[in-house]
Amino acid sequence: MLLFLNFIKKKSESKPKQATITSSPKPKRTNEQIAIRKGELGEYKIDIQLDQLPKSYRHLSDLLIPNPKAKSGYSQIDHVVITPYAIFTIETKNYQGTIYGGKDRNTWLVNGKFKMMNPFVQNYGHIKALSSLIDKKYHEWFVSMVSFTKRSTFKVDSDYRKIASNELIVYDIELSEFIHRKVSVLKIQHKDPLLNESEISTIYHTFLEANIPDLHIREEHKHALDEKASSGGTCTICNKPVSEKVRGYCLSNRAFKGKIYCYEHQKNVGK
């Protein structure tokens, strides 16, 4: 019996031990990655809204077209929707907090601290750039829309929420609803469609052909915008210029106490 037990013991010792599988901890995402992810989710929600529109409407996203009046020489337009009764030019914003602004102000505020350009002034430049590509008879049919996420609230002129206005502020989840409502009002005002199917197609392809897909030009445009946005916005610690998104993130984060930090120094705040 003793010999048998020794045999079993030796056999078990000779078996190779199985490796213990441990899952490596997931790397923490940086604030930049979080901001990018939030932007992606915001655009995804906009895409869902646009897909709910009638098939007779045509829409384009992320257009970069020449604009000699812009600092970078280009206008980057988030979305354009061409319908039989209006051409909607949509600027999307991903701010978190309370938005303060009015029609008579070129600068708006986020949470009463962070300055942002009046988005309708920005969109006006986009509409002018688009208008230059098409016949003058279509110029008066543009409707300017600015879309915010539900992470923000509005303290703005009440006219911006009135469907009769040609300047509308909406939440991303109600974009298609406001387009439908605006078109319904225009249908009552105009007996016949302002744009027929052929005209919608022509305008769509005109905008599409003007779009610049070149990644190098797009990067130069982004760099010019970042330089403009970083004017007066630098890291409190290293004095490195930061982008508009980083500055907005810092000023809306209570932990930073109204100070601006670059990505590298944000993770050290409060330690």
Side-chain angles (χ1 to χ4, degrees):
M1 183 67 178
L2 184 61
L3 291 173
F4 177 75
L5 290 174
N6 287 335
F7 172 76
I8 295 295
K9 183 179 178 181
K10 288 181 180 180
K11 190 171 183 181
S12 62
E13 287 177 350
S14 65
K15 287 184 179 180
K17 294 183 179 179
Q18 289 185 341
T20 303
I21 300 173
T22 57
S23 57
S24 57
K26 293 182 179 179
K28 291 184 178 180
R29 291 188 297 175
T30 64
N31 289 315
E32 181 179 13
Q33 290 171 325
I34 292 171
I36 291 171
R37 180 58 178 158
K38 286 180 178 177
E40 290 173 347
L41 289 172
E43 287 302 312
Y44 175 70
K45 286 190 285 187
I46 292 290
D47 289 340
I48 291 175
Q49 290 290 309
L50 294 177
D51 287 340
Q52 293 175 8
L53 296 173
K55 297 300 180 183
S56 58
Y57 295 4
R58 306 294 295 272
H59 68 263
L60 295 154
S61 298
D62 192 24
L63 288 174
L64 184 69
I65 62 174
N67 182 0
K69 294 186 178 180
K71 181 180 178 180
S72 68
Y74 304 95
S75 272
Q76 190 161 19
I77 302 142
D78 292 331
H79 306 279
V80 180
V81 179
I82 310 161
T83 79
Y85 289 90
I87 303 170
F88 294 87
T89 305
I90 305 162
E91 175 70 18
T92 61
K93 297 296 183 185
N94 197 32
Y95 296 120
Q96 178 176 337
T98 304
I99 312 299
Y100 299 89
K103 291 179 180 291
D104 59 340
R105 296 175 180 268
N106 286 331
T107 302
W108 287 13
L109 293 175
V110 181
N111 291 331
K113 297 178 181 179
F114 165 54
K115 292 181 179 180
M116 62 178 284
M117 178 190 289
N118 180 334
F120 289 100
V121 172
Q122 184 181 4
N123 225 16
Y124 176 80
H126 295 165
I127 289 172
K128 282 296 182 182
L130 290 169
S131 296
S132 68
L133 302 173
I134 57 179
D135 196 286
K136 287 184 178 180
K137 65 182 180 181
Y138 305 123
H139 290 189
E140 60 184 295
W141 307 132
F142 279 91
V143 174
S144 180
M145 298 185 79
V146 178
S147 168
F148 287 88
T149 70
K150 286 292 288 183
R151 295 184 298 111
S152 61
T153 55
F154 308 136
K155 296 286 186 180
V156 298
D157 286 350
S158 58
D159 285 350
Y160 285 133
R161 294 289 286 172
K162 293 178 180 177
I163 207 66
S165 175
N166 281 334
E167 292 183 327
L168 295 168
I169 282 183
V170 302
Y171 286 115
D172 50 12
I173 60 173
E174 61 184 13
L175 180 63
S176 63
E177 175 197 344
F178 265 71
I179 291 176
H180 282 303
R181 288 172 60 192
K182 183 64 179 179
V183 169
S184 295
V185 169
L186 292 171
K187 281 183 178 180
I188 296 172
Q189 295 175 352
H190 303 277
K191 185 179 179 180
D192 299 314
L194 302 172
L195 300 171
N196 59 39
E197 186 178 339
S198 176
E199 289 172 313
I200 291 174
S201 180
T202 297
I203 293 172
Y204 171 84
H205 284 99
T206 298
F207 291 164
L208 184 62
E209 289 171 9
N211 180 48
I212 300 170
D214 188 287
L215 295 179
H216 178 68
I217 294 176
R218 283 176 171 263
E219 189 60 32
E220 286 184 343
H221 168 72
K222 181 178 180 297
H223 180 68
L225 292 184
D226 286 343
E227 282 188 342
K228 181 181 178 181
S230 65
S231 177
T234 57
C235 176
T236 301
I237 296 176
C238 66
N239 209 35
K240 175 184 176 182
V242 300
S243 69
E244 180 183 356
K245 286 185 178 180
V246 175
R247 182 171 53 174
Y249 172 80
C250 292
L251 294 178
S252 65
N253 191 321
R254 292 181 181 179
F256 296 160
K257 298 179 180 179
K259 294 182 179 180
I260 299 170
Y261 299 93
C262 66
Y263 294 128
E264 185 62 30
H265 291 112
Q266 284 176 19
K267 56 190 176 184
N268 297 320
V269 175
K271 289 185 177 181

